[in-house]
Amino acid sequence: MQQQLTLQDIYRARRRIAGLALRTPLVRSEALSRRWDCEVWLKLDSLQPTGSFKLRGALNALLGLEPMQRERGVVTMSTGNFGRALAYAGQHLGIPVTVCISRLVPNNKVEALRQSGAELVIHGDCQDDADREARRLRDEQGLAYVPPFDDPLVIAGQGTCGLEIMEEQPDIDLLFAGLSGGGLIAGLGLAVKSVNPAAEVVGVSMREGAAMLASLAAGHPLQVPEVHSLADSLGGGIGLDNAWTFAMTQRYMDRGYKVDEVQIARAMLHFLHEEKMLVEGAAAVGVAAVEQHRLELSGRRVAFVVSGRNLSNETFAEACRLAGERPYAYL
Ligand SMILES: *Cc1c(COP(=O)(O)O)cnc(C)c1O
């Protein structure tokens, strides 16, 4: 086992990324607090300049590079949000960024990447194909490979989100976040449990293609088929050679839930109707988990990481159909 990450790494990340990533608001949800008879807080990382929390880890990874690597540039693989964040970070720091994505990535995210200034490579039909291409470019062009989650600097960057939550509301005792590769849960869990070891950290994935939950159940990293979901930002594997996030999720995540597409759709529409926010499926899975699994929250202080807002019109229309509502004309 390699060296472990500590709270210090998260403080270091925060000093590095301050001013480039937003310290996002933590706002109380009256609607959800009333509905579940508890205190509900929403951590609005959807307000980050690139529309997701991924900017935290991307900035920390680039700011941690050696000067020679900075000059040569970096390559990554991403469903969209990490690639977009790394492209933005590269532009602001003057570091060339190449992003490899699969053909499954939705159009709005591809378009955003094209406009971000990054070199875009579309390769294969799943994230693992895109990842192989990224590693090939690393070897061929001498680029530094920045993984979207399984990296200590990325995890420490994502952890700054948890630090902010606990500084503002240290009595929060239950936290929900979307779970894919586990970078968010790993960083969040480390930060939260360093401040309050009794706080519970819950990860939520979609029903099909929940690679981390399958891996945790098996006791080792597993490959699972990638399936279309409203929570498209949660797709993809955890890497069979996972070095960081699998062990950290095992250690810091207390419970994991899967949610059905229709529940994700309803939760997205909750955000629209009650919170007046348009969010991604991946950002709504926590609320979906409470509803689907009828979790008892009475009297608790609960935070949800609202992790992203990069929602395509097509996916939003699909959510409306699934939830039994007519798509909205203004989209
Ligand atoms: C990447 C992402 C997640 C999951 O983060 P991991 O670190 O891969 O577990 C959740 N929500 C959104 C919006 C994301 O982009």
Side-chain angles (χ1 to χ4, degrees):
M1 178 77 196
Q2 51 203 309
Q3 215 186 330
Q4 280 186 4
L5 282 175
T6 67
L7 186 60
Q8 246 187 324
D9 295 296
I10 298 177
Y11 276 112
R12 213 171 277 136
R14 174 152 73 187
R15 251 196 328 273
R16 283 203 187 117
I17 71 175
L20 286 165
L22 202 65
R23 182 181 174 110
T24 56
L26 182 68
V27 299
R28 214 182 120 105
S29 164
E30 283 307 304
L32 293 177
S33 300
R34 255 199 315 273
R35 188 192 297 175
W36 298 328
D37 182 34
C38 63
E39 223 176 77
V40 172
W41 297 89
L42 304 175
K43 176 64 168 168
L44 301 184
D45 253 40
S46 47
L47 297 179
Q48 290 291 354
T50 61
S52 82
F53 74 89
K54 293 274 193 332
L55 184 58
R56 299 172 182 271
L59 280 166
N60 196 42
L62 290 190
L63 289 163
L65 288 174
E66 300 294 333
M68 200 183 74
Q69 289 178 319
R70 271 183 169 237
E71 219 162 282
R72 281 198 186 156
V74 301
V75 62
T76 193
M77 170 278 293
S78 168
T79 49
N81 281 341
F82 188 76
R84 188 164 168 176
L86 198 71
Y88 178 95
Q91 284 262 296
H92 281 259
L93 300 170
I95 300 172
V97 171
T98 300
V99 179
C100 298
I101 58 175
S102 83
R103 282 186 280 265
L104 271 193
V105 176
N107 275 338
N108 66 317
K109 291 187 176 178
V110 175
E111 213 33 62
L113 273 174
R114 280 197 203 288
Q115 287 166 19
S116 69
E119 181 86 27
L120 192 59
V121 177
I122 301 179
H123 187 93
D125 291 316
C126 64
Q127 282 211 58
D128 293 332
D129 287 346
D131 195 44
R132 265 190 294 279
E133 178 66 7
R135 288 169 202 262
R136 196 187 65 75
L137 291 172
R138 167 195 65 190
D139 298 338
E140 186 188 276
Q141 299 178 10
L143 306 175
Y145 177 73
V146 184
F149 52 86
D150 197 28
D151 176 275
L153 290 176
V154 172
I155 295 166
Q158 317 308 28
T160 60
C161 175
L163 198 56
E164 290 171 11
I165 294 173
M166 296 312 278
E167 281 174 347
E168 274 175 53
Q169 293 295 335
D171 292 334
I172 281 173
D173 56 17
L174 179 58
L175 293 100
F176 288 84
L179 173 65
S180 177
L184 177 56
I185 282 283
L188 187 78
L190 170 59
V192 164
K193 301 230 173 195
S194 302
V195 177
N196 177 11
E200 280 185 281
V201 173
V202 176
V204 185
S205 301
M206 61 280 162
R207 166 88 36 216
E208 304 294 334
M212 183 61 90
L213 292 178
S215 301
L216 290 171
H220 57 87
L222 270 190
Q223 211 159 10
V224 303
E226 199 175 328
V227 179
H228 171 79
S229 169
L230 287 174
D232 51 78
S233 291
L234 300 184
I238 69 164
L240 292 177
D241 55 352
N242 190 294
W244 292 90
T245 59
F246 176 71
M248 287 183 75
T249 303
Q250 244 177 350
R251 179 165 174 194
Y252 295 119
M253 190 177 86
D254 296 278
R255 276 177 291 151
Y257 290 102
K258 290 182 191 171
V259 289
D260 295 330
E261 295 298 302
V262 65
Q263 297 288 347
I264 300 174
R266 287 188 195 144
M268 289 166 76
L269 286 161
H270 162 84
F271 275 97
L272 181 70
H273 293 315
E274 302 288 337
E275 317 293 346
K276 308 298 174 192
M277 287 175 210
L278 207 47
V279 303
E280 286 184 46
V285 291
V287 169
V290 175
E291 291 292 327
Q292 178 166 345
H293 300 282
R294 302 178 188 282
L295 303 180
E296 178 52 56
L297 302 185
S298 186
R300 301 199 65 172
R301 296 190 179 86
V302 190
F304 292 86
V305 178
V306 182
S307 51
R309 65 163 190 264
N310 295 322
L311 175 65
S312 71
N313 291 356
E314 292 75 17
T315 306
F316 180 67
E318 190 186 337
C320 290
R321 274 195 304 277
L322 268 178
E325 291 190 22
R326 248 194 269 150
Y328 292 88
Y330 61 81
L331 288 169

